[in-house]
Amino acid sequence: MAFEQVLQYILSGVTNGSIYAIVAIGFNIVYNTTGIINFAQGEFLMLGGMTAISLSQFMPLPLAILFAVIITSLAGAMIDFVFIRRLRNPSVLMMIIVTIGLSIVIREMALHIWDEKVRSLPYFTGSEVTSISILGAYISPQVLWVLGVCGLMVLLLGLFFRYTATGRSMRACSSNKTAAGLCGINTGNMVTISFMLSAAMGALAGCVISPITQTQYDSGTSLAIKGFTVAILGGMGNSTGAVVGGLLIGMLESFSISVLPMAYKDAISLAILILILFIRPSGLFGSREESALKEF
Amino acid sequence: MLRIRNLESGYGTLRVLKGVSMHVNPGEIVTIIGANGSGKSTLLATVSGILRPAAGEILFGGDSISGLPAEKTVHRGCALVPEGRQIFGTMTVKENLILGAYPARKKLGRDGIKAGLERIYGYFPKLKEREGQLGGTLSGGEQQMLAIGRALMSGPRLLMLDEPSTGLAPIIVKAIFRIISRLRDEGNTILLVEQNARAALAVADRGYVIETGQIILEGSSGELLNNNDVQRAYLGKDYKSISE
Ligand SMILES: Nc1ncnc2c1ncn2[C@@H]1O[C@H](COP(=O)(O)OP(=O)(O)OP(=O)(O)O)[C@@H](O)[C@H]1O
Ligand SMILES: [Mg+2]
């Protein structure tokens, strides 16, 4: 393999990998507060992308993205108000099943609102033919947007969960709900905040990747599967793990194309998912110690 | 400080508390003793807002707190160290303590929280050593200290303890009770639920005996320690040693 070709594979792996990482981080936010895995996370990306595409016909792109993020985050709050909050003494399993149901409902609603056409946002800078040359390989500037947004999200979220009172309270809720209440934390509100935050992050991600991956009513599903794999690989709840896991899977996928038929690309991440669950369920970065203390 | 009248509470249709009346005066240690399943934890859970009362009245500092959810009750200054400790297992010792200060975080500020941490480390030097360790990996005794420390962080007016001695070695139990009497000497008000009646009555000013959801006996610690029924049922003395 020529050096330029290897580099090209690496760059495409990094791009896809950071997209998966962003989805995985969305899973982590809700998981860190509630201990549940919100399978509607992929739908937040789709909603964000689709809303921004529709709005961008009436307003400048940055404004359209801003409103898409706000609208999607309100949708996240609504999911909590209408469904999650209403469950009495919900078990973790029950909440997970509710989110799977919701992902189907959101997808069908999107199909009715927008139809099944594939759309995309314009490139943030340049166009689909603009490219930057790095040591002989070519990448689109949009890739840099994806990488930058991903990096920024990881950094800010890490600081938020570790050093702010709200972030700490959100982790307390997932660790022990009764105790969180006894410490004066309104656990219901923390869950709402976590849904809003993960929806907002998802929507922003959905906008940044839309020029590259394109957006369709059901584009959240495959992203959710990849993101879930990455979240598990990195260790549920661990943002750094999500980034490393994302890059790893993105890279494996992109190199697999050179040895395996293209059709096997998706099978790779699923195979990895099954392997991790067998070998190291706490993920690469989740501490075994910590996962032994978790309920799920 | 705390006044409870004809409190009824339970789980679903199961009525565990059947009209409990009691009170705690400022600066007192009051203990509630009773056998397994007599309703001690149910009483504390109802006062702290984890359970909603079915009937009756709970007055805290003159205001009704009946039916107030747990997160609001602790804001009023009524803190519970629950049965089984319930610490945040996946968070560090320090984070556990900082979370305890959550209700008072605006009032305390950064410096107030730091001072609070130092105060707790003064009571429990072990916790300072373990500051960065995950709560779930502490020993049972250390977890109990952490649970008490966490509840103290908000500077509560009333501290309720649910069986702090359960499952601990005698030497640790002694240490915990030493801290409890020290807290009282510093002016704190404490409601202590215990199965270990001897230790509880030794530190308490007054006590209540609860049986199947009803208060059957009350009095000063001295009166209860000398009461024949209490001696037989809760202090493990048989007829012979009492009559001697
Ligand atoms: N979550 C629950 N659901 C249903 N019943 C419960 C529940 N918790 C306790 N009970 C019942 O309520 C009664 C009183 O329980 P409680 O926990 O208040 O007893 P306790 O005096 O604290 O006992 P122990 O000394 O063993 O802690 C028991 O009969 C118990 O079976
Ligand atoms: Mg009990």
Short mmCIF file of all heavy atoms in Angstrom, two decimals, chain B residues 41 83 162-163, ligand 2:
data_model
loop_
_atom_site.label_atom_id
_atom_site.label_comp_id
_atom_site.label_asym_id
_atom_site.label_seq_id
_atom_site.Cartn_x
_atom_site.Cartn_y
_atom_site.Cartn_z
N SER B 41 -37.32 2.14 60.58
CA SER B 41 -36.85 2.75 59.33
C SER B 41 -38.00 3.42 58.60
O SER B 41 -37.81 4.47 57.96
CB SER B 41 -36.23 1.69 58.43
OG SER B 41 -35.11 1.13 59.06
N GLU B 83 -30.58 3.75 56.45
CA GLU B 83 -30.21 2.38 56.72
C GLU B 83 -29.40 1.86 55.51
O GLU B 83 -29.73 2.15 54.37
CB GLU B 83 -31.50 1.56 56.86
CG GLU B 83 -31.31 0.17 57.35
CD GLU B 83 -32.66 -0.44 57.71
OE1 GLU B 83 -33.66 -0.13 57.07
OE2 GLU B 83 -32.69 -1.25 58.65
N ASP B 162 -30.10 6.03 61.06
CA ASP B 162 -30.80 4.75 61.07
C ASP B 162 -29.80 3.61 61.26
O ASP B 162 -29.09 3.26 60.33
CB ASP B 162 -31.59 4.57 59.77
CG ASP B 162 -32.63 3.46 59.89
OD1 ASP B 162 -32.55 2.68 60.86
OD2 ASP B 162 -33.53 3.40 59.02
N GLU B 163 -29.77 3.06 62.44
CA GLU B 163 -28.91 1.93 62.78
C GLU B 163 -27.47 2.08 62.30
O GLU B 163 -26.98 1.29 61.49
CB GLU B 163 -29.51 0.63 62.23
CG GLU B 163 -30.90 0.41 62.79
CD GLU B 163 -31.34 -1.05 62.71
OE1 GLU B 163 -30.48 -1.92 62.59
OE2 GLU B 163 -32.55 -1.29 62.79
MG MG C 2 -34.61 -0.54 59.79
#
